[in-house]
Amino acid sequence: MPVISVPLEFNEEELYVDLRSTFGQPLFLKCEGFNFAGSIKLKAAAEMVAAAERRGTLLPGSVIIESSSGNLGVALSMIAASKGYRFLCVTDPRCNLSTRRMMEALGSEVHIVTEPDPESGYLGARLGYVRQLCASDDRYVWLNQHANPDNWKAHYRTTAPAIARQFPDLDVLFVGAGTTGTLMGCARYFWEYHRRVRVVAVDSVGSVTFGGPPGRRMIPGLGTSVRPALLDESYVDEVVQVEEADTVRACHRLARAGFLFGGSTGTVVSGATEWLARHDDSDLTAVAIAPDLGERYLDTIYQTNWLQDLYGEDVLSSDQLTAGTRSA
């Protein structure tokens, strides 16, 4: 029975769900939401804060500032509270209300950018606001998850080796693409691995990360309106893009099996099962990374009126997950 004194000391690393009985595909889901921040973002947040402290850029009296759609903001709120820093999260209207309240409960300040940038969307507007504040007050320390190599290094050191220990014969790994920190850290690790592992990135339709046209995206987490500086496509074998309606269906199908996961997880599972259905090889050892759990999505993905307003009344009328999903 573990006994801890600070929240960073607990993170369940070895929990997997076998999805074969739910989706009929040979897929293991690595669950990253069982820590006090509730998501995989705790790893990147901890690595970036520790590195900033080592470099001397983060000092007593500093104010951490970051642009986040939700999960990283919660992780940084938790770390800031435990270490005695102030934290300002810059987000936009797509951030779930429960996520915002959680950050505020932890003592953080939340600023909501209400107007998207004409060219780079809400993310561009958020980044512009962060740059403006940093230029006007040197107390602010911007960790910049979108370009900070400590983001991907966290997963190179922890997430990928944990998967390799559990599945030494891994054939294919599915990783969602947001800032691409998790994707790049895992892909770089398995590029150096002793056996060939295919790394498949899963992105949202409407995201520009891999060169697709921008489009409406209402579920926070994966996808971006500004190409991430961390991304190096040479490490990625394939990209699968997922429509948000398919994300919703995957989340609800998991929920009917008793597993309440978040939107990023639904996107990754939808993309992974579509890819596996096309390749139809029951002997493959496949793992997908589940970034978060579903409690923060009760007012969105799991709320009927919200779903029907955005995706139509028949969004949950079928369990088919391949509609609207395409390979890039």
Side-chain angles (χ1 to χ4, degrees):
M1 179 177 180
V3 177
I4 67 173
S5 56
V6 294
L8 276 172
E9 293 177 349
F10 176 78
N11 185 37
E12 174 55 60
E13 184 74 77
E14 303 297 338
L15 180 62
Y16 295 80
V17 176
D18 186 345
L19 294 182
R20 189 186 295 266
S21 62
T22 304
F23 288 89
Q25 299 292 348
L27 181 65
F28 295 95
L29 189 62
K30 187 179 193 306
C31 303
E32 290 280 354
F34 290 97
N35 55 58
F36 281 92
S39 81
I40 197 172
K41 289 292 188 178
L42 179 60
K43 293 177 177 178
E47 188 82 16
M48 291 189 294
V49 167
E53 290 175 329
R54 289 194 301 269
R55 289 192 294 265
T57 56
L58 188 56
L59 302 168
S62 296
V63 182
I64 301 172
I65 186 171
E66 187 56 89
S67 160
S68 171
S69 61
N71 283 338
L72 184 77
V74 172
L76 286 172
S77 294
M78 189 199 80
I79 293 172
S82 68
K83 288 176 170 282
Y85 295 115
R86 289 175 56 200
F87 171 55
L88 170 61
C89 181
V90 180
T91 188
D92 60 61
R94 295 171 300 177
C95 178
N96 297 324
L97 178 60
S98 60
T99 299
R100 191 176 81 223
R101 287 177 173 170
M102 188 175 297
M103 289 188 280
E104 292 170 342
L106 288 165
S108 297
E109 181 184 351
V110 180
H111 176 82
I112 301 175
V113 172
T114 57
E115 294 295 330
D117 182 270
E119 294 184 357
S120 53
Y122 278 118
L123 177 56
R126 282 161 33 193
L127 296 178
Y129 184 83
V130 171
R131 293 189 183 99
Q132 179 183 340
L133 279 188
C134 290
S136 64
D137 191 334
D138 59 10
R139 293 177 303 163
Y140 287 106
V141 176
W142 181 22
L143 299 176
N144 194 2
Q145 63 166 329
H146 303 279
N148 191 332
D150 293 308
N151 184 346
W152 68 258
K153 288 177 183 178
H155 303 287
Y156 182 92
R157 290 195 313 103
T158 61
T159 310
I163 295 170
R165 286 193 301 269
Q166 188 72 26
F167 298 94
D169 296 326
L170 181 67
D171 294 305
V172 57
L173 176 66
F174 300 94
V175 189
T179 65
T180 68
T182 307
L183 174 64
M184 286 293 96
C186 291
R188 287 172 187 270
Y189 179 88
F190 282 111
W191 188 265
E192 303 168 3
Y193 197 49
H194 68 267
R195 65 187 303 275
R196 183 77 173 91
V197 174
R198 178 173 290 273
V199 176
V200 178
V202 183
D203 196 16
S204 301
V205 170
S207 167
V208 305
T209 299
F210 294 96
R216 185 189 75 165
R217 291 178 297 108
M218 300 303 297
I219 300 174
L222 300 186
T224 183
S225 55
V226 178
R227 181 182 168 88
L230 294 178
L231 177 62
D232 183 343
E233 291 188 58
S234 67
Y235 289 98
V236 179
D237 293 292
E238 195 171 344
V239 180
V240 174
Q241 290 185 300
V242 177
E243 295 278 2
E244 285 193 333
D246 292 317
T247 291
V248 168
R249 294 185 185 107
C251 286
H252 280 259
R253 191 165 178 178
L254 285 162
R256 284 196 289 275
F259 297 107
L260 196 71
F261 284 106
S264 297
T265 299
T267 302
V268 174
V269 169
S270 179
T273 53
E274 185 273 340
W275 189 96
L276 290 167
R278 283 192 288 109
H279 288 77
D280 193 23
D281 186 347
S282 60
D283 292 328
L284 281 175
T285 299
V287 171
I289 297 176
D292 57 1
L293 301 178
E295 291 89 342
R296 296 172 194 171
Y297 299 84
L298 294 177
D299 293 329
T300 53
I301 290 174
Y302 297 104
Q303 213 284 327
T304 302
N305 291 339
W306 188 88
L307 290 177
Q308 291 180 346
D309 287 346
L310 290 173
Y311 307 110
E313 293 187 0
D314 62 345
V315 64
L316 297 178
S317 63
S318 172
D319 283 336
Q320 297 299 317
L321 304 181
T322 57
T325 306
R326 55 193 173 87
S327 297

